[in-house]
Amino acid sequence: LRNALFFKFTRFSHLIMIPSAGIIVFGLLGLHDGRSGMVLTVLQAIATVLVLLLPCVIGMSLHMLIVARDWLPGLKIPIHTWLFGANKTWRGFIIGPPLCILGAIPAVLLAQGLPLLHVLTLSPGVIVGFGLLMGLAYMLFELPNSFLKRRLGVPPGGQSPRFALFFIALDQIDSGIGQAVAAALFLNVPWPVAILTALMFPFVALAVKRGLFALRWKQSAV
């Protein structure tokens, strides 16, 4: 996994397009909340998205540390080699979502003091459920991408010469879609905020990867 090759956005213009697209979505929709009669601002929406992504930012960063140090090697059992390849192991599913609970603690605490578009109650049940939900969604939504690549004969960590643009886009946003779907279906987050969650995810992920690279928890900054 540490030597695998992945396509990453390296041009700043590409990265700017992602949050800009989200801002355009909010501008076009107006995001009017009929119950309160107030127009929900873009800044509130962005703050909500960052809080929603925080469990996985922290949890999956800790997971990357475990991968980099090759801790818990006994859990490096492929989920299903034929379906998803050798890189998708039970270690990620077993330790990833619980680690996201640690990220859910500061996320829920922040939610108490920020004017977010979604309320997160400060309780142990909410913290545990929130962390597990977002972590599991993160992991699950990586699997269809791996499945499609294996069916096309693409080796784990490789790129498909067929449908290249589709897979390039999917590599960047698959887990972000998972975060958005989980937030919309199970947390009742407004759907425009869920859309923005998916759009902002690659931008946030790049910033996190650069931080992990600086900490030497990751071999590259992209």
Side-chain angles (χ1 to χ4, degrees):
L1 178 61
R2 285 179 285 177
N3 296 323
L5 298 177
F6 298 93
F7 178 90
K8 303 294 181 184
F9 289 122
T10 55
R11 294 184 182 179
F12 184 72
S13 59
H14 290 170
L15 299 173
I16 289 297
M17 289 172 62
I18 297 167
S20 296
I23 293 173
I24 292 172
V25 168
F26 277 86
L28 293 176
L29 293 177
L31 276 181
H32 184 270
D33 185 349
R35 291 173 297 176
S36 63
M38 297 176 63
V39 176
L40 306 181
T41 68
V42 172
L43 288 178
Q44 282 180 297
I46 292 175
T48 303
V49 169
L50 294 177
V51 168
L52 290 173
L53 293 179
L54 189 55
C56 282
V57 166
I58 294 176
M60 293 306 166
S61 294
L62 294 174
H63 172 248
M64 185 58 65
L65 171 63
I66 291 172
V67 171
R69 300 292 189 268
D70 198 22
W71 293 337
L72 304 174
L75 297 178
K76 289 169 47 178
I77 303 170
I79 297 170
H80 196 293
T81 304
W82 184 83
L83 288 177
F84 309 117
N87 284 354
K88 298 300 179 184
T89 70
W90 284 109
R91 181 168 63 178
F93 273 87
I94 291 173
I95 67 174
L99 287 174
C100 290
I101 296 174
L102 298 178
I105 296 172
V108 173
L109 290 174
L110 282 172
Q112 309 310 304
L114 294 175
L116 303 181
L117 307 185
H118 179 72
V119 176
L120 289 169
T121 305
L122 183 59
S123 71
V126 169
I127 291 172
V128 172
F130 180 34
L132 290 177
L133 172 67
M134 302 306 276
L136 186 59
Y138 184 104
M139 301 299 299
L140 283 175
F141 273 73
E142 288 187 331
L143 296 182
N145 188 0
S146 296
F147 174 80
L148 291 174
K149 287 182 176 179
R150 301 300 84 79
R151 303 291 67 74
L152 291 174
V154 181
Q159 287 295 325
S160 172
R162 300 168 58 191
F163 314 110
L165 291 178
F166 169 77
F167 281 109
I168 287 172
L170 191 58
D171 284 344
Q172 309 307 315
I173 203 172
D174 51 3
S175 292
I177 294 174
Q179 303 286 277
V181 170
L185 294 184
F186 299 101
L187 298 177
N188 295 318
V189 169
W191 67 266
V193 177
I195 292 174
L196 186 60
T197 300
L199 292 172
M200 284 184 59
F201 177 84
F203 185 75
V204 173
L206 178 68
V208 172
K209 289 170 187 174
R210 291 191 173 184
L212 295 178
F213 176 72
L215 292 171
R216 298 184 180 180
W217 294 6
K218 197 174 185 294
Q219 292 186 340
S220 68
V222 294

